[in-house]
Amino acid sequence: MAFGDLIFVFVFLPVCLLLYILTPGKFSNVLLLIFSLLFFAWGTPEYLVLMLCSLAFNYAAGREISALRASGRRVLPNIVLITSVLADLALLGYWKYAGFLLETVNAVFGTSFAARELPLPVGLSFFTFSLISYLADIRRGKTEGAKDPLTFALFVTFFPKLASGPIVAYPEMEEQLAHHPFTWRQFGAGARCFLVGLSKKILLANTLADTFYTLSAVPPEELTAASAWLCALSYAFMLYFDFSGYSDMAVGLGRMFGFRLPKNFDYPYLSSSISEFWRRWHITLGAWFREYVYIPLGGSRVHPFRIFLNLMVVWLLTGLWHGAGSTFLIWGLYHGTLVVLEKLVLDNVLEKIPKPIRIAVTFLLVVVGWVFFFSQTPVEALTRLSRMFFFGGAADGAAAYYAFGALRPLLLGVLAALPLGARLGTELARRGQPWTLLSVFYFAALFLLCVAGMMNETYSASLYAQF
Amino acid sequence: MKSKLIALEALRWLAAALAVLFILFLLGSTPDPAIPFETVEQAAVSQFDLSDVQPGDTAMLRRLYGLSSTDYEGVLFYYPASNMGADELLVLKLADESQSAAVSEAISKRLETQRDSFDGYGAEQFALLTDHAAVEIRGVYVLFAVCENEQAVRESFLNAL
Amino acid sequence: MEQPNRPRRETPARRESPPARQPSRTAAPRPLPNPREARKQARLRALQRQSTWTGVLFLAAVLTLSLLSLALPDRDFSPAENRRLKQFPSFSVSGLLGGSYFSDWTDYTAEQFAGRDHWITLELKFRQLLGAQEANGVLLCKDGYLMEPPVEPDESAVRKNRDAVNAFAARHPELSVSMAVVPTAAYILSDKLPGNVPVRDQHADITAFASRLQNVQFIDVSDALLARSAEPLYYKTDHHWTTLGARAAFEAMAPALGIDASGMQYETYTVSGNFEGTLAAKSGCRDVQDTIEIAVPETDVLFYRVNEGDPTRFATLYDDASLSGNDQYALFLGGNAARVDVTTTAETGRTLLLFKDSYANCLMQFLYPHFDRIILIDPRYYYSTADDLLLRESVTDVLFLYNANTFFEDRSLCEVLGP
């Protein structure tokens, strides 16, 4: 089940909401947990067993680490931490990377091992990272963890954030888990956020996806520059609206139930450097890697060469997290290299360049990175890039056809990627009538268009739902 | 305090073991190849309505699936009795598990061809082929059933294994 | 994006009245909340009101549509989509554990949603507003035409069919074997395609195929159709040719088939003005409706038609019931059947064995006066073989008639022709 499915918006959500409103406070967490587990089990109900095992395992680990730490032990909590983290990673590793690993082994040694393909559990990459941060935070003393297994289970499986949601650290949610009252005002703010996210996904991302999939089906060698750029740009905006839309929906849904989940995107295409890009794109992932990989490795307080190594490790892992394939690794290292250059070399130079140029160049670099991200092989990526930089001719008739279909969505996309829409909306909303009425009509129109879009039978789930 | 720690550690081990066992279970246990074909055949046919199908021979199997019946240990094959029907039943016992990839492909192709034939023309048949088509490959046993109650046929087949 | 969190600001400490020695610089002191603060509070309240309203209306809208969908009876069949719709999921433990119960529910909710067809139309309109020139693989062309792009030939299937045809012709040298692969609207009416759309050269595919035929007379009707491309040779909402298109092709094929049709006159009647064909269903675009015409030859030749498995003899090629059904094109011969026999009083001494797809259904109007018998075989549904058939029937001519898109993906012909 995805947030953009009709069954989610019109069956799952209203039932959950109504029951939630009617449920007295002390049972509200149980209710949310039941619905979250149902959400997780939808489609692959057998994995519920696995989830329960993982919850039990990590809950026990958390309590152990907390108790051992409280009693002053040094080594033992580390052992529990490390073994638990390894176990969690093993689960992630098997599902996501076994295939890739065997492929590499086969390629190198000429063997032909085959891995059994099992469907991915919903939100595997996300909740694994949540669990790791949970255990690490307990070890560091930032929290004592959840006393109550139900609260812990809800923290891990909370359905707004389960599938592709922001990666939330336990300390951020701790208080909210204990106290998240329902108010119509919060609910409304959440509904608004949810609608914005849904619109991004259905109206923008899906439309751009049509263009992208048509264009990416053309063999890369046959592309002209115009088509190649259209392909890359439509992907860049499709991915942004798909993922940020999903994150908005997650935050909106959380808010409906009285939770404040962290935002995951902050107009990333307005970044004036790659480093800044990663503070605006998939914010919680960047924060996770900084907190639990980069800083433990020494962060920025070490010799520059160590910084370089630390950064490359982080980016290698970031690339790998996004997908099991060589193109993802290359993409990760590409970004890593750029960040290293910015940090260690270009720092002073960059400041002198005017901001609009920096934004444009950063955007260009990011789009080039996406070409690796969506290509199946490095060779394909390089072919596409060569075409983008005019090796195959500037434009042809086909490009005109694609451009006609892609221009308006891209323009809309560019506008929607700027903060002016949201700012305008907020300003108007604060001016009372008639703006309040108009904004309600606006959201009603968006809602209707979204329902129409969702009705399309071949609805495609969010790209990040595979993680 | 110590007993609490031991209890927690025990829970950790238990949960981990259960997870591993479950994963092994998911990867599927191979059914015993010594099960006689007749048993499996009987189980599948018992739930299948034979009124709209006719038995197929070697030639028809080759024609509709591209499969040679002599390659397999056991073949049970019914195809539509009328040219506009879509009910079909194929039960195979492979001689060797390596044949499963080719058989799986043949079944997929047959389904696709049938769907294309009825798409837009025969809504009933198309619905049958899309929503009521059961394909199961377990070890050396193969089932392909298209009929109104394909779930029952599937369950019966799996229970026999 | 999430609205920024605006905490309630504390009212700032009241300013003391300014010292008397600076009377000109500052405004007179006010003991009440200053207007700025009041405005801020008002805006905050407005924002909160908007939030509350949005929330209430959102929930109301969701509940309304859900309850409406629940209340309205489930549809069994969707004429717009030309397919059966999912019914209320039946519970089974295996379905629950296997996950199919959940996907059934997902599909059921979507397919039985209130006003489904209207939502799909709205979606199409929105996409068109954004510049979409195709919908679900159907090209949205000028003058209200819908067209399917030419398919890429399935090389192995085409080769098998070609070899089978060649072998068949070689086995039966006494028969005169002809073949015609008719191009689709995307080639003939290409001026109506959206500008610059990259499509295959279907004619090149057809010629490439024809060049490898042996002992078979290939009839290329493309030129004849192109010459009349200003006329409505194809339906706007369906992938078939119109009666006019079939007639144009027939007039090109007649000489090759040894038919003298030069003197034949036809009475044309319009039998339908509200035909919405397969492409309308596939794309969701229902703005335009087609007219169906029939052409009745002015001839004394009588005939009767028999569908396989049904003893009824029909004295007409047309199935009127189809005009009130979902697929009005099934007017011609009642739709696709594995085998149809037409017996006439033509007394030409010729019997035609016609291997076909649905295009030939419309061509029958023009063919029947010239043959004593015509046996139509649709290999997709026919389980016997051609040689078997020839053992029992005496045939003089064989014709293969397909439209290019169907033919280039067909896998059934070689099975029927095979040894």
Side-chain angles (χ1 to χ4, degrees), chain A residues 9-10 42 45 185 187-188 192 196 210 248 255 265 397 401 404-405 408-409 426 430 439-440 452 457, chain C residues 1-3 43 48 50-51 55 57 62 66 83 96-97 102 106 109 119 127 129-131 133-134 196 198:
Chain A
V9 177
F10 291 96
W42 196 271
R185 198 176 298 156
F187 174 77
R192 193 172 48 224
V196 170
D210 278 350
D248 285 345
R255 196 132 178 215
F265 287 85
Y401 173 74
F404 187 92
R408 268 169 266 182
T426 321
R430 285 160 50 196
S439 81
V440 167
E457 207 197 336
Chain C
M1 280 307 287
E2 177 169 19
Q3 298 298 335
R43 282 190 201 154
Q48 288 167 347
Q50 194 241 34
S51 299
L57 286 170
V62 167
S66 300
R83 66 186 187 97
L96 186 70
L97 293 178
F102 297 107
T106 310
T109 320
W119 293 111
R127 289 293 183 97
L129 209 65
L130 286 182
Q133 292 171 280
E134 54 180 88
N196 292 305

Short mmCIF file of all heavy atoms in Angstrom, two decimals, chain A residues 9-10 42 45 185 187-188 192 196 210 248 255 265 397 401 404-405 408-409 426 430 439-440 452 457, chain C residues 1-3 43 48 50-51 55 57 62 66 83 96-97 102 106 109 119 127 129-131 133-134 196 198:
data_model
loop_
_atom_site.label_atom_id
_atom_site.label_comp_id
_atom_site.label_asym_id
_atom_site.label_seq_id
_atom_site.Cartn_x
_atom_site.Cartn_y
_atom_site.Cartn_z
N VAL A 9 -6.10 6.39 0.89
CA VAL A 9 -6.74 7.67 1.19
C VAL A 9 -8.21 7.49 1.57
O VAL A 9 -8.72 8.20 2.44
CB VAL A 9 -6.63 8.62 -0.03
CG1 VAL A 9 -7.34 9.93 0.23
CG2 VAL A 9 -5.17 8.88 -0.35
N PHE A 10 -8.87 6.53 0.94
CA PHE A 10 -10.31 6.45 1.14
C PHE A 10 -10.78 5.31 2.02
O PHE A 10 -11.96 5.23 2.35
CB PHE A 10 -11.02 6.38 -0.22
CG PHE A 10 -10.92 7.68 -0.96
CD1 PHE A 10 -9.94 7.87 -1.92
CD2 PHE A 10 -11.76 8.73 -0.67
CE1 PHE A 10 -9.81 9.08 -2.58
CE2 PHE A 10 -11.66 9.94 -1.33
CZ PHE A 10 -10.68 10.11 -2.28
N TRP A 42 0.64 -5.23 4.57
CA TRP A 42 -0.19 -5.21 3.37
C TRP A 42 0.60 -5.70 2.17
O TRP A 42 1.59 -5.15 1.79
CB TRP A 42 -0.65 -3.77 3.11
CG TRP A 42 -1.77 -3.67 2.15
CD1 TRP A 42 -1.68 -3.56 0.80
CD2 TRP A 42 -3.16 -3.67 2.48
NE1 TRP A 42 -2.94 -3.49 0.26
CE2 TRP A 42 -3.87 -3.54 1.27
CE3 TRP A 42 -3.87 -3.76 3.67
CZ2 TRP A 42 -5.25 -3.51 1.22
CZ3 TRP A 42 -5.25 -3.72 3.60
CH2 TRP A 42 -5.92 -3.60 2.40
N PRO A 45 2.13 -10.21 3.91
CA PRO A 45 1.77 -10.46 5.32
C PRO A 45 2.74 -11.40 6.04
O PRO A 45 2.89 -11.29 7.26
CB PRO A 45 0.38 -11.10 5.22
CG PRO A 45 0.21 -11.49 3.82
CD PRO A 45 1.09 -10.65 2.98
N ARG A 185 -6.97 21.80 14.59
CA ARG A 185 -6.04 22.73 13.94
C ARG A 185 -4.83 21.98 13.41
O ARG A 185 -4.41 22.16 12.27
CB ARG A 185 -5.61 23.76 14.97
CG ARG A 185 -5.02 25.01 14.36
CD ARG A 185 -4.73 26.00 15.42
NE ARG A 185 -5.92 26.42 16.12
CZ ARG A 185 -5.92 26.91 17.37
NH1 ARG A 185 -4.80 26.99 18.05
NH2 ARG A 185 -7.04 27.31 17.92
N PHE A 187 -4.68 18.82 12.89
CA PHE A 187 -5.16 17.92 11.86
C PHE A 187 -5.24 18.65 10.53
O PHE A 187 -4.83 18.13 9.49
CB PHE A 187 -6.53 17.37 12.25
CG PHE A 187 -7.16 16.55 11.17
CD1 PHE A 187 -6.73 15.26 10.93
CD2 PHE A 187 -8.16 17.07 10.37
CE1 PHE A 187 -7.29 14.51 9.91
CE2 PHE A 187 -8.72 16.33 9.36
CZ PHE A 187 -8.29 15.04 9.13
N GLY A 188 -5.79 19.87 10.57
CA GLY A 188 -5.92 20.65 9.35
C GLY A 188 -4.58 20.99 8.73
O GLY A 188 -4.40 20.88 7.51
N ARG A 192 -3.39 19.75 5.07
CA ARG A 192 -2.87 20.65 4.05
C ARG A 192 -1.52 20.15 3.52
O ARG A 192 -1.28 20.07 2.32
CB ARG A 192 -2.74 22.05 4.63
CG ARG A 192 -2.50 23.13 3.59
CD ARG A 192 -2.57 24.49 4.22
NE ARG A 192 -1.79 24.57 5.44
CZ ARG A 192 -2.19 25.15 6.57
NH1 ARG A 192 -3.37 25.71 6.64
NH2 ARG A 192 -1.41 25.17 7.62
N VAL A 196 -0.61 18.81 -0.28
CA VAL A 196 0.50 19.35 -1.08
C VAL A 196 1.39 18.21 -1.55
O VAL A 196 1.76 18.13 -2.72
CB VAL A 196 1.29 20.38 -0.26
CG1 VAL A 196 2.57 20.76 -0.98
CG2 VAL A 196 0.46 21.62 -0.02
N ASP A 210 5.90 10.02 -17.05
CA ASP A 210 5.52 9.60 -18.40
C ASP A 210 6.59 10.02 -19.40
O ASP A 210 7.06 9.23 -20.21
CB ASP A 210 4.19 10.25 -18.82
CG ASP A 210 3.01 9.49 -18.27
OD1 ASP A 210 3.22 8.38 -17.75
OD2 ASP A 210 1.88 10.00 -18.36
N ASP A 248 6.41 14.98 2.29
CA ASP A 248 5.36 15.90 2.74
C ASP A 248 4.15 15.13 3.24
O ASP A 248 3.54 15.49 4.26
CB ASP A 248 4.89 16.79 1.58
CG ASP A 248 5.90 17.88 1.26
OD1 ASP A 248 6.79 18.11 2.10
OD2 ASP A 248 5.79 18.48 0.18
N ARG A 255 1.32 14.75 11.41
CA ARG A 255 0.69 15.90 12.07
C ARG A 255 -0.78 15.65 12.35
O ARG A 255 -1.32 16.13 13.35
CB ARG A 255 0.87 17.12 11.19
CG ARG A 255 0.62 18.38 11.92
CD ARG A 255 1.71 19.36 11.67
NE ARG A 255 1.38 20.61 12.39
CZ ARG A 255 1.67 21.81 11.96
NH1 ARG A 255 2.33 21.95 10.83
NH2 ARG A 255 1.34 22.86 12.67
N PHE A 265 13.04 17.80 3.09
CA PHE A 265 13.48 18.55 1.92
C PHE A 265 13.30 20.03 2.17
O PHE A 265 12.33 20.45 2.78
CB PHE A 265 12.66 18.15 0.68
CG PHE A 265 13.01 16.79 0.16
CD1 PHE A 265 12.42 15.67 0.69
CD2 PHE A 265 13.96 16.65 -0.83
CE1 PHE A 265 12.76 14.42 0.23
CE2 PHE A 265 14.30 15.40 -1.31
CZ PHE A 265 13.70 14.28 -0.77
N GLY A 397 13.58 15.98 -34.83
CA GLY A 397 12.12 16.05 -34.80
C GLY A 397 11.54 15.39 -33.57
O GLY A 397 10.64 15.93 -32.91
N TYR A 401 8.88 16.64 -30.49
CA TYR A 401 7.69 15.96 -29.99
C TYR A 401 7.74 15.80 -28.48
O TYR A 401 6.79 16.10 -27.76
CB TYR A 401 7.55 14.60 -30.68
CG TYR A 401 6.45 13.74 -30.11
CD1 TYR A 401 5.11 14.02 -30.36
CD2 TYR A 401 6.76 12.67 -29.29
CE1 TYR A 401 4.11 13.24 -29.82
CE2 TYR A 401 5.76 11.88 -28.77
CZ TYR A 401 4.44 12.16 -29.04
OH TYR A 401 3.45 11.39 -28.50
N PHE A 404 7.33 19.12 -26.61
CA PHE A 404 5.96 19.61 -26.53
C PHE A 404 5.25 19.02 -25.33
O PHE A 404 4.53 19.70 -24.60
CB PHE A 404 5.23 19.25 -27.83
CG PHE A 404 3.86 19.86 -27.92
CD1 PHE A 404 3.69 21.08 -28.52
CD2 PHE A 404 2.76 19.21 -27.39
CE1 PHE A 404 2.43 21.65 -28.61
CE2 PHE A 404 1.50 19.77 -27.48
CZ PHE A 404 1.33 21.00 -28.09
N GLY A 405 5.45 17.74 -25.12
CA GLY A 405 4.77 17.09 -24.02
C GLY A 405 5.37 17.39 -22.66
O GLY A 405 4.70 17.32 -21.64
N ARG A 408 5.39 21.99 -20.47
CA ARG A 408 4.53 22.56 -19.43
C ARG A 408 4.74 21.90 -18.07
O ARG A 408 4.86 22.59 -17.06
CB ARG A 408 3.07 22.52 -19.87
CG ARG A 408 2.64 23.78 -20.57
CD ARG A 408 1.29 23.65 -21.24
NE ARG A 408 1.43 23.29 -22.64
CZ ARG A 408 0.41 23.15 -23.47
NH1 ARG A 408 -0.84 23.32 -23.03
NH2 ARG A 408 0.60 22.83 -24.73
N PRO A 409 4.80 20.56 -18.04
CA PRO A 409 5.07 19.96 -16.72
C PRO A 409 6.40 20.43 -16.12
O PRO A 409 6.49 20.66 -14.92
CB PRO A 409 5.11 18.46 -17.02
CG PRO A 409 4.29 18.29 -18.24
CD PRO A 409 4.48 19.54 -19.03
N THR A 426 1.21 30.83 2.58
CA THR A 426 1.15 31.16 4.00
C THR A 426 0.72 32.60 4.21
O THR A 426 -0.12 32.90 5.05
CB THR A 426 2.53 30.97 4.66
OG1 THR A 426 3.12 29.81 4.11
CG2 THR A 426 2.40 30.84 6.15
N ARG A 430 -2.82 33.99 6.06
CA ARG A 430 -2.86 34.79 7.27
C ARG A 430 -3.65 36.07 7.12
O ARG A 430 -3.79 36.82 8.07
CB ARG A 430 -1.43 35.10 7.70
CG ARG A 430 -0.85 33.84 8.29
CD ARG A 430 0.60 33.73 8.35
NE ARG A 430 1.28 34.86 8.91
CZ ARG A 430 2.57 35.04 8.75
NH1 ARG A 430 3.26 34.18 8.03
NH2 ARG A 430 3.17 36.07 9.29
N SER A 439 -8.21 29.78 -0.67
CA SER A 439 -7.24 28.71 -0.48
C SER A 439 -7.95 27.38 -0.31
O SER A 439 -7.47 26.34 -0.77
CB SER A 439 -6.34 28.99 0.72
OG SER A 439 -6.99 28.64 1.91
N VAL A 440 -9.11 27.41 0.32
CA VAL A 440 -9.87 26.16 0.47
C VAL A 440 -10.27 25.65 -0.91
O VAL A 440 -10.16 24.46 -1.20
CB VAL A 440 -11.09 26.38 1.38
CG1 VAL A 440 -12.03 25.21 1.27
CG2 VAL A 440 -10.66 26.55 2.82
N ALA A 452 -8.47 12.12 -9.53
CA ALA A 452 -8.49 11.73 -10.94
C ALA A 452 -7.19 11.03 -11.30
O ALA A 452 -7.18 10.00 -11.96
CB ALA A 452 -8.70 12.97 -11.82
N GLU A 457 -5.29 3.44 -13.36
CA GLU A 457 -5.09 2.08 -12.87
C GLU A 457 -3.64 1.65 -12.73
O GLU A 457 -3.27 0.91 -11.87
CB GLU A 457 -5.76 1.18 -13.87
CG GLU A 457 -6.23 -0.09 -13.37
CD GLU A 457 -6.48 -1.02 -14.53
OE1 GLU A 457 -6.71 -0.52 -15.64
OE2 GLU A 457 -6.41 -2.22 -14.32
N MET C 1 4.50 22.02 1.17
CA MET C 1 5.48 22.02 2.28
C MET C 1 4.81 22.41 3.57
O MET C 1 3.79 23.11 3.58
CB MET C 1 6.61 23.00 2.01
CG MET C 1 7.66 22.46 1.06
SD MET C 1 8.30 20.87 1.58
CE MET C 1 9.30 21.33 2.96
N GLU C 2 5.36 21.98 4.62
CA GLU C 2 4.77 22.23 5.93
C GLU C 2 4.77 23.72 6.22
O GLU C 2 5.72 24.43 5.95
CB GLU C 2 5.60 21.50 6.97
CG GLU C 2 5.12 21.76 8.37
CD GLU C 2 5.78 20.84 9.33
OE1 GLU C 2 6.83 20.28 8.99
OE2 GLU C 2 5.25 20.69 10.41
N GLN C 3 3.68 24.18 6.76
CA GLN C 3 3.61 25.59 7.14
C GLN C 3 4.60 25.83 8.27
O GLN C 3 4.75 25.01 9.16
CB GLN C 3 2.20 25.94 7.60
CG GLN C 3 1.16 25.75 6.50
CD GLN C 3 1.41 26.64 5.30
OE1 GLN C 3 2.03 27.71 5.45
NE2 GLN C 3 0.97 26.23 4.13
N ARG C 43 -3.44 37.51 12.20
CA ARG C 43 -2.97 36.66 11.10
C ARG C 43 -2.80 35.22 11.56
O ARG C 43 -3.12 34.29 10.84
CB ARG C 43 -1.64 37.19 10.58
CG ARG C 43 -1.86 38.37 9.71
CD ARG C 43 -0.61 38.77 8.99
NE ARG C 43 -0.75 40.14 8.58
CZ ARG C 43 0.26 40.97 8.38
NH1 ARG C 43 1.48 40.56 8.58
NH2 ARG C 43 0.02 42.20 8.00
N GLN C 48 -4.73 29.72 11.52
CA GLN C 48 -5.26 28.57 12.25
C GLN C 48 -6.66 28.22 11.77
O GLN C 48 -7.01 27.04 11.65
CB GLN C 48 -5.28 28.87 13.75
CG GLN C 48 -3.88 28.88 14.33
CD GLN C 48 -3.84 29.46 15.72
OE1 GLN C 48 -4.80 30.07 16.17
NE2 GLN C 48 -2.72 29.26 16.40
N GLN C 50 -7.79 28.73 8.79
CA GLN C 50 -7.64 28.08 7.50
C GLN C 50 -7.26 26.62 7.69
O GLN C 50 -7.75 25.75 6.99
CB GLN C 50 -6.59 28.82 6.65
CG GLN C 50 -6.63 28.42 5.20
CD GLN C 50 -5.35 27.81 4.74
OE1 GLN C 50 -4.67 27.12 5.50
NE2 GLN C 50 -5.00 28.03 3.50
N SER C 51 -6.36 26.38 8.64
CA SER C 51 -5.94 25.00 8.89
C SER C 51 -7.14 24.16 9.29
O SER C 51 -7.37 23.09 8.76
CB SER C 51 -4.90 24.94 10.02
OG SER C 51 -3.77 25.66 9.68
N GLY C 55 -8.78 21.04 7.26
CA GLY C 55 -8.86 19.72 7.85
C GLY C 55 -10.26 19.15 7.81
O GLY C 55 -10.48 18.02 7.37
N LEU C 57 -12.80 20.04 5.96
CA LEU C 57 -13.29 19.79 4.60
C LEU C 57 -12.61 18.58 3.97
O LEU C 57 -13.23 17.81 3.24
CB LEU C 57 -13.09 21.03 3.74
CG LEU C 57 -14.10 22.13 4.09
CD1 LEU C 57 -13.74 23.43 3.39
CD2 LEU C 57 -15.51 21.70 3.71
N VAL C 62 -13.19 13.19 1.91
CA VAL C 62 -12.77 11.78 1.88
C VAL C 62 -13.92 10.87 2.29
O VAL C 62 -14.22 9.87 1.63
CB VAL C 62 -11.55 11.56 2.79
CG1 VAL C 62 -11.30 10.09 3.01
CG2 VAL C 62 -10.33 12.22 2.19
N SER C 66 -15.87 8.06 0.04
CA SER C 66 -15.82 6.66 0.50
C SER C 66 -17.21 6.10 0.68
O SER C 66 -17.53 5.01 0.19
CB SER C 66 -15.10 6.55 1.85
OG SER C 66 -13.80 7.02 1.75
N ARG C 83 -13.90 -3.85 -20.01
CA ARG C 83 -13.44 -5.02 -19.27
C ARG C 83 -14.28 -5.22 -18.02
O ARG C 83 -14.99 -4.34 -17.56
CB ARG C 83 -11.97 -4.86 -18.89
CG ARG C 83 -11.72 -3.74 -17.92
CD ARG C 83 -10.22 -3.53 -17.68
NE ARG C 83 -10.04 -2.57 -16.63
CZ ARG C 83 -9.81 -2.88 -15.36
NH1 ARG C 83 -9.74 -4.13 -14.99
NH2 ARG C 83 -9.67 -1.94 -14.45
N LEU C 96 -5.23 -14.51 2.37
CA LEU C 96 -4.76 -13.58 3.38
C LEU C 96 -3.27 -13.77 3.61
O LEU C 96 -2.49 -12.82 3.60
CB LEU C 96 -5.53 -13.81 4.69
CG LEU C 96 -5.25 -12.81 5.82
CD1 LEU C 96 -5.81 -11.46 5.47
CD2 LEU C 96 -5.85 -13.30 7.13
N LEU C 97 -2.87 -15.03 3.78
CA LEU C 97 -1.46 -15.29 4.07
C LEU C 97 -0.58 -15.05 2.86
O LEU C 97 0.58 -14.71 2.98
CB LEU C 97 -1.29 -16.73 4.57
CG LEU C 97 -1.93 -17.02 5.91
CD1 LEU C 97 -1.74 -18.48 6.28
CD2 LEU C 97 -1.31 -16.14 6.99
N PHE C 102 -5.12 -8.81 -0.01
CA PHE C 102 -4.85 -7.39 0.09
C PHE C 102 -4.85 -6.71 -1.28
O PHE C 102 -5.43 -5.64 -1.45
CB PHE C 102 -3.49 -7.15 0.76
CG PHE C 102 -3.42 -7.65 2.16
CD1 PHE C 102 -2.72 -8.79 2.47
CD2 PHE C 102 -4.07 -6.97 3.18
CE1 PHE C 102 -2.66 -9.25 3.78
CE2 PHE C 102 -4.02 -7.42 4.49
CZ PHE C 102 -3.31 -8.57 4.78
N THR C 106 -7.18 -3.68 -2.81
CA THR C 106 -6.65 -2.48 -3.44
C THR C 106 -7.31 -2.27 -4.80
O THR C 106 -7.76 -1.17 -5.12
CB THR C 106 -5.13 -2.59 -3.62
OG1 THR C 106 -4.53 -3.00 -2.41
CG2 THR C 106 -4.54 -1.29 -4.09
N THR C 109 -11.20 -1.43 -4.49
CA THR C 109 -11.47 -0.03 -4.12
C THR C 109 -11.33 0.88 -5.32
O THR C 109 -12.14 1.78 -5.54
CB THR C 109 -10.47 0.45 -3.05
OG1 THR C 109 -10.26 -0.58 -2.11
CG2 THR C 109 -11.00 1.68 -2.36
N TRP C 119 -13.72 10.42 -13.41
CA TRP C 119 -12.40 10.76 -12.90
C TRP C 119 -11.35 10.53 -13.97
O TRP C 119 -10.43 11.32 -14.17
CB TRP C 119 -12.05 9.92 -11.67
CG TRP C 119 -12.88 10.21 -10.47
CD1 TRP C 119 -13.82 9.39 -9.90
CD2 TRP C 119 -12.86 11.38 -9.67
NE1 TRP C 119 -14.37 9.99 -8.80
CE2 TRP C 119 -13.80 11.22 -8.64
CE3 TRP C 119 -12.13 12.57 -9.72
CZ2 TRP C 119 -14.03 12.17 -7.66
CZ3 TRP C 119 -12.36 13.53 -8.74
CH2 TRP C 119 -13.31 13.33 -7.73
N ARG C 127 -4.15 16.07 -18.24
CA ARG C 127 -2.90 15.73 -18.90
C ARG C 127 -2.78 16.45 -20.24
O ARG C 127 -1.72 16.88 -20.64
CB ARG C 127 -2.82 14.22 -19.15
CG ARG C 127 -2.63 13.41 -17.90
CD ARG C 127 -1.28 13.67 -17.28
NE ARG C 127 -1.06 12.84 -16.13
CZ ARG C 127 -0.38 11.69 -16.15
NH1 ARG C 127 0.14 11.26 -17.28
NH2 ARG C 127 -0.23 11.00 -15.05
N LEU C 129 -4.06 19.25 -20.93
CA LEU C 129 -3.75 20.64 -20.61
C LEU C 129 -2.26 20.81 -20.40
O LEU C 129 -1.69 21.85 -20.73
CB LEU C 129 -4.49 21.02 -19.33
CG LEU C 129 -4.88 22.48 -19.19
CD1 LEU C 129 -5.89 22.85 -20.24
CD2 LEU C 129 -5.47 22.72 -17.81
N LEU C 130 -1.64 19.78 -19.85
CA LEU C 130 -0.21 19.85 -19.61
C LEU C 130 0.60 19.47 -20.85
O LEU C 130 1.81 19.36 -20.80
CB LEU C 130 0.18 18.93 -18.45
CG LEU C 130 -0.20 19.42 -17.07
CD1 LEU C 130 0.30 18.45 -16.02
CD2 LEU C 130 0.39 20.79 -16.79
N GLY C 131 -0.10 19.23 -21.96
CA GLY C 131 0.62 19.01 -23.20
C GLY C 131 0.78 17.55 -23.61
O GLY C 131 1.52 17.25 -24.53
N GLN C 133 0.38 14.22 -25.46
CA GLN C 133 -0.08 13.91 -26.81
C GLN C 133 -0.37 12.43 -26.97
O GLN C 133 -0.62 11.95 -28.07
CB GLN C 133 0.96 14.35 -27.83
CG GLN C 133 1.06 15.87 -27.86
CD GLN C 133 2.21 16.33 -28.68
OE1 GLN C 133 3.35 16.34 -28.24
NE2 GLN C 133 1.94 16.72 -29.90
N GLU C 134 -0.30 11.70 -25.88
CA GLU C 134 -0.73 10.32 -25.93
C GLU C 134 -1.28 9.94 -24.57
O GLU C 134 -0.97 10.58 -23.57
CB GLU C 134 0.42 9.39 -26.32
CG GLU C 134 1.63 9.52 -25.47
CD GLU C 134 2.71 8.56 -25.95
OE1 GLU C 134 3.48 8.97 -26.83
OE2 GLU C 134 2.75 7.44 -25.44
N ASN C 196 5.90 15.67 -35.38
CA ASN C 196 7.22 15.12 -35.05
C ASN C 196 7.21 13.83 -34.24
O ASN C 196 8.26 13.44 -33.74
CB ASN C 196 8.05 16.14 -34.27
CG ASN C 196 8.42 17.32 -35.11
OD1 ASN C 196 8.99 17.16 -36.16
ND2 ASN C 196 8.04 18.49 -34.66
N PRO C 198 7.87 10.39 -33.11
CA PRO C 198 8.73 9.36 -33.69
C PRO C 198 8.00 8.03 -33.77
O PRO C 198 7.73 7.41 -32.76
CB PRO C 198 9.90 9.28 -32.70
CG PRO C 198 9.37 9.81 -31.42
CD PRO C 198 8.21 10.68 -31.72
#
